[in-house]
Amino acid sequence: MASKCNRLSGPLLQQLLGSVDNVLFDCDGVIWRGDQAIAGAPTVVNSLKKNGKRVFFVTNNSTKTRAMYAEKLSRLGFDAQQEDVFGTAYCSAVYLKHILKLAGKVYLIGSKAMAQELENVGIQNVGVGPDPISGGQSDWASVPLDPEVRAVLVGFDEHFSYMKLNRALHYLSNSDCLFVGTNTDTRLPLEGGKAVPGTGCLLRAVETAAQRQAQVVGKPSPFMFECVASEYGLDPARTLMVGDRLDTDILLGTRCGLKTLLTLTGVSRLEEAQAHQESGCPTRSGLVPDYYVESVSELLPALQG
């Protein structure tokens, strides 16, 4: 562990870039904040591509389709196609279709973007939008269900409600009904140190009500890397994961045998990584990045030199 958590610069940076063919970027807090690109990030991404690296964008955010992400990337100055984007809306649809071999509909607690990605792979879904409460407990206990639903999928849903929670409980009371969550992020950090509840809060509520545990698709689940690797034949040993969260991005990289780079423009702090390293705890060692930078812009000298 002594060789981990190194400041990346100079010869070490050149050595790292020479040892990888593929770079996976998280998005929020890494290459952009909200609707603004982090200074230098578009030039870094575009220069990596010009230098022959394959670049992918891997995010736990389930509120956008691949096409929506591609539009945002392009608008902010990044050279990117929708095939480069792997968000949990898309990866959950792939997981249900090709890994779980779902035959039936999905009850979706999630966004219109998730519904679109499910439809793109031929999966019908119900549940998007508000589900206002009506009646009393006896009505809730016999709530109408779609008999064709064979899975419950939970992502970020601004319309999450008691009725949605109740409906999910009843679908999941059938042990044959599949149960999938996009991610377990409990808080979404905003500018100025503020935060709002994340998908993990909604997923935990459904798990508690249903007394079942979901299969989680998003980081740090290895499936997020496998989803990219299976389409593009990536060699883990020659792949770099760049992220701002130790518990999602860095842990994903560790679990999948990738090189890991923490950028300090987002959630996690260097002191947290160092504390994990100094703990000597085998479990916490997976949260320690190989390298760190203040910002991805620090990669520029090696790319433009």
Side-chain angles (χ1 to χ4, degrees):
M1 291 209 37
S3 64
K4 299 189 79 173
C5 211
N6 294 301
R7 179 66 183 260
L8 189 61
S9 61
L12 195 58
L13 172 53
Q14 293 282 7
Q15 180 185 339
L16 174 63
L17 291 176
S19 71
V20 299
D21 303 317
N22 320 294
V23 184
L24 275 52
F25 284 96
D26 177 46
C27 294
D28 197 38
V30 177
I31 60 171
W32 65 54
R33 284 199 200 95
D35 284 320
Q36 285 196 319
I38 284 175
T43 309
V44 167
V45 166
N46 299 345
S47 297
L48 282 166
K49 289 194 167 191
K50 287 174 186 172
N51 279 267
K53 310 298 183 186
R54 292 191 291 183
V55 176
F56 303 95
F57 306 93
V58 182
T59 173
N60 275 359
N61 189 321
S62 63
T63 63
K64 291 183 174 67
T65 63
R66 298 178 101 183
M68 291 163 71
Y69 268 114
E71 186 278 326
K72 179 173 181 176
L73 285 158
S74 178
R75 178 163 40 87
L76 295 181
F78 295 91
D79 174 17
Q81 313 302 317
Q82 74 174 50
E83 292 77 17
D84 303 332
V85 179
F86 290 80
T88 50
Y90 170 73
C91 291
S92 296
V94 170
Y95 189 72
L96 283 162
K97 180 76 171 181
H98 299 294
I99 305 299
L100 299 183
K101 310 291 186 186
L102 173 67
K105 292 181 183 177
V106 164
Y107 175 62
L108 175 60
I109 295 177
S111 61
K112 290 180 180 178
M114 293 178 67
Q116 184 62 58
E117 294 290 18
L118 288 169
E119 289 160 16
N120 288 348
V121 297
I123 296 176
Q124 290 182 288
N125 58 89
V126 296
V128 170
D131 189 356
I133 200 159
S134 60
Q137 290 183 349
S138 59
D139 302 297
W140 306 339
S142 55
V143 66
L145 301 178
D146 187 322
E148 295 180 50
V149 165
R150 297 290 183 272
V152 170
L153 173 60
V154 180
F156 186 79
D157 189 344
E158 62 191 25
H159 299 294
F160 187 73
S161 65
Y162 184 83
M163 284 307 293
K164 290 195 175 197
L165 181 62
N166 179 59
R167 224 175 279 275
L169 180 158
H170 285 91
Y171 280 121
L172 290 168
S173 64
N174 175 359
S175 60
D176 292 329
C177 185
L178 302 169
F179 185 18
V180 175
T182 58
N183 65 87
T184 57
D185 299 20
T186 53
R187 288 160 66 90
L188 302 176
L190 304 175
E191 290 293 323
K194 296 182 179 181
V196 294
T199 301
C201 300
L202 315 187
L203 181 58
R204 186 71 58 84
V206 177
E207 288 180 329
T208 302
Q211 298 182 343
R212 288 178 57 178
Q213 195 161 11
Q215 300 176 68
V216 178
V217 168
K219 298 173 293 185
S221 166
F223 181 73
M224 283 295 276
F225 174 68
E226 292 162 8
C227 195
V228 188
S230 63
E231 285 193 36
Y232 290 94
L234 307 191
D235 177 359
R238 295 192 63 82
T239 302
L240 174 67
M241 177 72 220
V242 185
D244 69 311
R245 295 183 74 132
L246 299 175
D247 59 347
T248 56
D249 306 314
I250 303 307
L251 187 54
L252 169 76
T254 302
R255 287 178 171 176
C256 296
L258 318 180
K259 297 174 174 66
T260 54
L261 173 62
L262 174 69
T263 177
L264 301 175
T265 48
V267 173
S268 296
R269 307 265 60 88
L270 177 59
E271 294 76 20
E272 296 172 56
Q274 291 170 332
H276 290 312
Q277 184 175 31
E278 291 162 8
S279 73
C281 172
T283 304
R284 292 174 68 182
S285 68
L287 300 166
V288 182
D290 295 316
Y291 312 98
Y292 73 91
V293 289
E294 290 293 332
S295 164
V296 292
S297 64
E298 293 183 18
L299 303 183
L300 273 177
L303 292 166
Q304 295 181 326

